[in-house]
Amino acid sequence: MRQWSRSMRAKGKTIGFVPTMGYLHEGHLSLLNEAHKHTQLIVVSVYVNPGQFSPNEDLSTYPSDFYGDIKKLMAVPGGVDVVFHPHNLYDYGNNNCGDDGNGLQKEGMREKDGVVVSCVEDKGLGHETWVRVERLEKGMCGKSRPVFFRGVATVVAKLFNIVEPDVAVFGKKDYQQWRIIRRMVRDLDFAVKVIGSEIVRDSDGLAMSSRNVHLSLEEREQALSINRSLSKAKCAAEKGQVNCRELRNSVIHAIHEAGGKIDYAEIVEQENLESVEEIKSPVVFCIAAWFGKVRLIDNMEISL
């Protein structure tokens, strides 16, 4: 992969990169369309990263359809130049971990001596280096998924070092992730421009997600309460309701009434992700909620 990138750079080509975990939908494909606006060549990675899953999460059931993904990528206007599909990014030649044939246990992360660790640490693969964006990772998704952003930042850093892109495109549905990657790139002087692409929604307003496939028809209908309540909150803010507690309560109530269970509902500054009590500058209203066994995230930017 790196050899290809360097040979293209030597020819004066620019490279855009879209990292994914596969099971692609229109939201992913919109990232490719955005990348085409900025670079001449496009690389897509398909890699489910075990370093960002904890034992009670869905690594083993994360949906996969690699050949279906290839067909979708072949149909993208402008095309894709490389699909990077690594077997195991934590295999350093001393692999004695796991039982699924690629050296990674399907349960993902588990605890050892009271500390959550990943399979790559626990089974002696030799991987010891992790990237943390310490403050930005603490809130929202970081509260209920304490090792998630460490895993994300580390695998993205590895992918940047392998692919060596000029531009990388991330979806803003994963708003905290996007901000964390931007901060990592800034702080560690990666020569990569990170672009955030707007959320893509189905016709009913539900934010596109690979996990939507696990929703029952009833749960999917319930999940529409996320976008609907966020839209109402944004409208209320634009009409002068800037008290964040009241806006949060209205969204939490609507999702509970629909049958969802809130993980978090936070209104934070767009750049620093710091909670605010009153909207005085651009903010983003971020939601994570459970519908059945499926955890969904969504957000809406509010700029008065």
Side-chain angles (χ1 to χ4, degrees):
M1 179 69 251
R2 186 182 289 125
Q3 183 179 11
W4 178 88
S5 292
R6 292 183 176 179
S7 67
M8 293 301 104
R9 283 177 170 276
K11 297 176 181 178
K13 303 293 186 179
T14 54
I15 300 170
F17 178 46
V18 177
T20 82
M21 295 209 301
Y23 209 73
L24 305 181
H25 50 68
E26 288 298 323
H28 294 112
L29 303 183
S30 74
L31 305 182
L32 298 173
N33 293 333
E34 181 65 31
H36 272 295
K37 298 176 184 178
H38 303 276
T39 60
Q40 298 162 298
L41 303 173
I42 303 296
V43 176
V44 176
S45 64
V46 176
Y47 181 66
V48 180
N49 173 37
Q52 65 197 60
F53 288 86
S54 65
N56 61 334
E57 293 177 331
D58 57 349
L59 175 63
S60 63
T61 61
Y62 196 86
S64 176
D65 180 16
F66 181 66
Y67 294 104
D69 290 341
I70 293 297
K71 290 181 180 179
K72 292 175 183 177
L73 293 172
M74 290 175 66
V76 171
V80 170
D81 296 278
V82 173
V83 177
F84 180 47
H85 184 45
H87 184 55
N88 175 7
L89 288 177
Y90 301 95
D91 183 359
Y92 305 115
N94 57 339
N95 190 340
N96 63 353
C97 175
D99 56 10
D100 69 344
N102 69 352
L104 297 169
Q105 289 180 327
K106 282 294 185 182
E107 68 265 28
M109 296 197 173
R110 55 196 182 94
E111 290 192 1
K112 182 178 181 181
D113 299 328
V115 178
V116 177
V117 296
S118 71
C119 173
V120 293
E121 298 163 278
D122 189 56
K123 292 296 181 179
L125 286 182
H127 184 90
E128 300 182 52
T129 306
W130 300 92
V131 179
R132 306 201 73 147
V133 183
E134 293 183 346
R135 186 176 57 76
L136 291 186
E137 73 173 30
K138 288 182 178 178
M140 298 191 290
C141 284
K143 290 181 180 179
S144 59
R145 306 185 72 186
V147 293
F148 174 68
F149 288 121
R150 180 191 76 162
V152 169
T154 300
V155 80
V156 171
K158 288 168 74 69
L159 288 167
F160 282 177
N161 283 332
I162 294 166
V163 178
E164 298 184 347
D166 298 283
V167 172
V169 182
F170 290 80
K172 290 169 73 172
K173 181 176 75 71
D174 302 283
Y175 199 91
Q176 187 175 13
Q177 172 180 281
W178 171 58
R179 287 296 186 187
I180 283 172
I181 297 304
R182 282 176 60 90
R183 188 64 55 88
M184 178 190 78
V185 164
R186 185 200 73 176
D187 290 353
L188 298 183
D189 299 305
F190 279 93
V192 182
K193 180 180 180 180
V194 177
I195 294 173
S197 188
E198 298 301 323
I199 297 173
V200 176
R201 301 182 182 278
D202 280 322
S203 58
D204 57 10
L206 185 65
M208 289 190 176
S209 169
S210 298
R211 290 183 170 93
N212 290 352
V213 69
H214 293 310
L215 293 168
S216 68
L217 291 176
E218 180 183 6
E219 289 164 351
R220 184 185 174 87
E221 183 64 30
Q222 294 172 342
L224 300 181
S225 61
I226 301 177
N227 182 50
R228 288 170 181 168
S229 59
L230 282 175
S231 297
K232 289 180 179 179
K234 180 177 181 178
C235 183
E238 291 172 344
K239 291 181 179 179
Q241 173 56 279
V242 295
N243 184 293
C244 292
R245 183 174 183 178
E246 295 184 14
L247 292 171
R248 288 178 63 251
N249 286 342
S250 68
V251 170
I252 291 171
H253 177 75
I255 292 175
H256 279 161
E257 283 288 299
K261 180 182 177 182
I262 290 287
D263 182 354
Y264 64 79
E266 300 286 347
I267 300 177
V268 299
E269 292 182 355
Q270 290 184 12
E271 183 72 27
N272 296 318
L273 305 184
E274 294 178 354
S275 294
V276 297
E277 296 181 0
E278 187 174 295
I279 300 176
K280 299 179 180 178
S281 59
V283 298
V284 57
F285 198 153
C286 297
I287 295 289
W290 290 89
F291 293 88
K293 296 182 179 180
V294 183
R295 181 179 180 273
L296 301 177
I297 61 172
D298 202 345
N299 68 78
M300 195 160 290
E301 292 177 315
I302 303 174
S303 300
L304 304 182

